[in-house]
Each structure stands twice: as structure tokens, then as C-alpha cells.
């Protein structure tokens, strides 16, 4: 008989719930402190007094008392969907208040995990375009180029979204999207649809800037996660280098 078969059914369910909740949180942009806290709360509210958890940006290990083996799940993708993070936290609170059984918690977590995105693409596209225009004005006080930034920012985000969906290489997707933004900004200024190429580029690349990974890296470092913090910092740095390199390539030939 395998080790898993000898475990009490409840402990198996608790481990599954913790691993699933933790994986969803990490894959969708949560900081490690929140991940560990949510998993520990699920285990505690399920009646487990002591649970050991080791969490990184690439995997999770969970072990409970009186269980012969730890269980592991890998993190295969990472994106930003804070809507899913909020939904997992809400389920954790409902479970703590005994509004959900352990079985219902797992089913609801699986439903969140199977959802493609909290928001459809058209909403994300509009948000990226609006962010580009607004931040162009905030950073440069240039109202004239805001409409151009709105359009180019949306196109750049679309290129990133579909290229990343096709090839699943985030850094390459950011490079191609930034290259597209730089070329379109140069064309817009050349045909007099824009005035300042620098301002248009600054606003349009903002949806691609890894703001959440940088914030999470700092929070992980401050909270003592000396593996996840540097790993996320390097990931954010690579994204920044990909974006900057593409813009430098465009400006070199303009």
C-alpha cells in the first residue's frame, strides 16, 4: 500500500487544498507572505495544528504532522491576475468562517484555477491603453501626445499578449512589444501624428513595466524570503532589460 493510501482522507484533502491555493496565488502575482499565510490558515482552519510549508516562485512543498511524505507542486507559469488572488483570499475567509466545507473549498479553488482570466481581453486592452495615455500625461505633462499614446500603448499590449500566448516566453514577448511601440512612435512622429517620440514611448511602455514583480520582490526581501525575493528581482530586471533593449534599438536608428 502506498504512503498516500495510508494517509487519512482529511489530511490528503488539506494538503491538496493548500497546494492548490498556493499555486494559484503564486501564478497570479501574489507575494510570498500572503501565500504562506493563506496556506497556513487553510490548514489551521481544517483542524491541522502544525503544517510545514516551503514556498518559492517555482514550487511549493507541504508536509503535515503524522504524514510520512511531503507533497510538492511546481509553478509552471507566472502572470498578473490580482482578481484571482482576491478570490482565493475570499474563499480562505469563508472557509475560516465555516461557510464552506473542505470539499467545497477545493472545488471552488479548482474553478478559479480553470478560469482563463478574471477580466476578458477587451477590458485589459482598454485598461492598458488608458494607462498609457494617463501616465504619459502624469510623467511628461504632454497632453498633445496622449491620444497617440493611447493607441500605441494598446497595440503594444496586444502584441505582448498574443506573442506571449503563442510562444510563452515573457522576456521575448516584452522585447517584441517594446520594439513595436518604438517603431510605431517613430512613425507617428514622422507623419505628424505625434510631437515628442520620447513622451509617446514613455507612456506606451508603462503597461509592460514589471511593477508588481518589483513590488513583490521588495516585499519578499523585507519579510525575509531570501530565495523568492532575489529570484523575483532578477525576473523583473530581465523584463526591464528586454524593454529597454528594444527601445534602444529603435532610437539608435531613428
Amino acid at each position: 500500500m502506498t504512503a498516500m493510501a495510508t494517509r487519512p482522507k482529511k489530511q490528503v484533502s488539506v494538503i491538496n487544498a493548500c497546494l492548490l491555493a498556493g499555486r494559484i496565488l503564486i501564478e497570479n502575482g501574489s507575494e510570498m507572505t500572503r501565500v504562506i499565510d493563506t496556506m497556513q490558515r487553510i490548514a489551521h482552519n481544517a483542524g491541522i495544528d502544525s503544517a510545514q510549508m516551503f514556498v518559492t516562485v517555482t514550487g511549493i512543498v507541504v508536509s503535515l504532522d503524522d504524514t510520512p511524505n511531503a507533497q510538492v507542486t511546481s509553478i509552471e507559469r507566472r502572470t498578473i491576475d490580482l482578481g484571482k488572488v482576491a478570490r482565493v483570499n475570499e474563499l480562505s475567509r469563508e472557509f475560516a468562517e465555516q461557510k464552506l466545507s473542505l470539499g467545497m473549498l477545493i472545488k471552488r479553488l479548482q474553478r478559479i484555477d480553470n478560469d482563463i482570466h478574471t477580466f476578458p481581453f477587451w477590458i485589459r486592452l482598454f485598461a492598458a491603453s488608458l494607462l498609457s495615455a494617463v501616465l504619459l500625461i502624469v510623467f511628461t505633462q504632454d497632453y498633445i501626445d496622449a491620444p497617440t499614446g493611447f493607441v500605441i500603448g494598446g497595440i503594444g499590449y496586444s502584441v505582448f499578449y498574443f506573442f506571449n500566448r503563442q510562444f510563452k516566453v515573457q522576456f521575448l514577448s516584452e522585447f517584441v512589444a517594446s520594439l513595436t511601440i518604438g517603431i510605431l512612435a517613430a512613425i507617428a512622429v514622422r507623419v505628424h501624428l505625434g510631437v515628442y517620440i520620447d513622451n509617446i514611448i514613455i507612456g506606451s511602455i508603462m503597461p509592460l513595466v514589471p511593477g508588481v514583480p518589483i513590488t513583490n520582490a521588495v516585499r519578499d526581501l523585507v519579510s525575509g524570503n531570501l530565495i523568492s525575493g532575489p529570484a523575483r528581482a532578477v525576473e523583473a530586471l530581465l523584463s526591464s532589460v528586454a524593454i529597454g533593449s528594444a527601445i534602444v534599438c529603435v532610437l539608435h536608428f531613428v
Side-chain angles (χ1 to χ4, degrees):
M1 184 177 295
T2 63
M4 178 64 74
T6 61
R7 297 181 182 180
K9 184 176 180 180
K10 181 179 179 180
Q11 290 185 330
V12 173
S13 297
V14 172
I15 291 176
N16 291 337
C18 291
L19 289 175
L20 182 55
R23 180 170 61 80
I24 294 172
L25 290 173
I26 295 176
E27 287 182 346
N28 291 281
S30 177
E31 70 278 9
M32 291 303 163
T33 303
R34 183 190 300 270
V35 175
I36 296 173
D37 180 68
T38 299
M39 295 171 63
Q40 288 178 339
R41 287 178 183 275
I42 290 175
H44 176 74
N45 293 321
I48 304 298
D49 294 329
S50 179
Q52 295 75 42
M53 300 167 185
F54 179 74
V55 181
T56 70
V57 293
T58 56
I60 303 173
V61 181
V62 176
S63 176
L64 306 181
D65 287 344
D66 302 324
T67 57
N69 297 314
Q71 291 297 301
V72 181
T73 187
S74 61
I75 309 300
E76 299 178 356
R77 61 180 179 84
R78 288 183 297 278
T79 185
I80 304 299
D81 191 341
L82 300 184
K84 284 189 176 183
V85 173
R87 290 164 65 187
V88 171
N89 288 334
E90 181 63 27
L91 286 182
S92 176
R93 286 190 288 270
E94 291 182 5
F95 183 62
E97 296 170 358
Q98 299 183 348
K99 295 180 180 179
L100 295 175
S101 65
L102 184 59
M104 292 176 62
L105 173 65
I106 294 175
K107 290 181 179 179
R108 296 277 292 276
L109 287 171
Q110 290 173 339
R111 190 180 307 167
I112 293 174
D113 188 37
N114 292 330
D115 288 345
I116 298 176
H117 291 293
T118 301
F119 301 102
F121 172 72
W122 70 269
I123 292 181
R124 301 170 75 182
L125 175 61
F126 177 76
S129 300
L130 186 61
L131 178 68
S132 298
V134 171
L135 292 185
L136 188 155
I137 296 172
V138 170
F139 291 147
T140 67
Q141 288 76 52
D142 179 8
Y143 293 88
I144 298 176
D145 291 321
T148 304
F150 181 92
V151 175
I152 294 178
I155 295 174
Y157 178 80
S158 299
V159 171
F160 166 77
Y161 178 85
F162 289 108
F163 202 90
N164 191 50
R165 191 173 179 183
Q166 182 69 28
F167 297 99
K168 302 185 185 303
V169 181
Q170 180 174 343
F171 310 120
L172 182 60
S173 302
E174 291 167 338
F175 179 85
V176 174
S178 300
L179 195 65
T180 302
I181 288 171
I183 293 172
L184 291 177
I187 293 174
V189 172
R190 188 69 59 87
V191 300
H192 305 294
L193 293 177
V195 179
Y196 303 105
I197 184 173
D198 294 344
N199 295 350
I200 296 172
I201 290 174
I202 288 172
S204 300
I205 65 171
M206 282 299 111
L208 305 178
V209 173
V212 173
I214 291 173
T215 303
N216 286 342
V218 174
R219 295 185 66 174
D220 288 344
L221 285 170
V222 170
S223 61
N225 290 293
L226 300 181
I227 295 178
S228 300
R232 280 184 160 165
V234 170
E235 185 177 24
L237 178 62
L238 290 175
S239 294
S240 302
V241 169
I243 295 170
S245 299
I247 299 303
V248 168
C249 291
V250 173
L251 295 180
H252 179 73
F253 294 102
V254 171

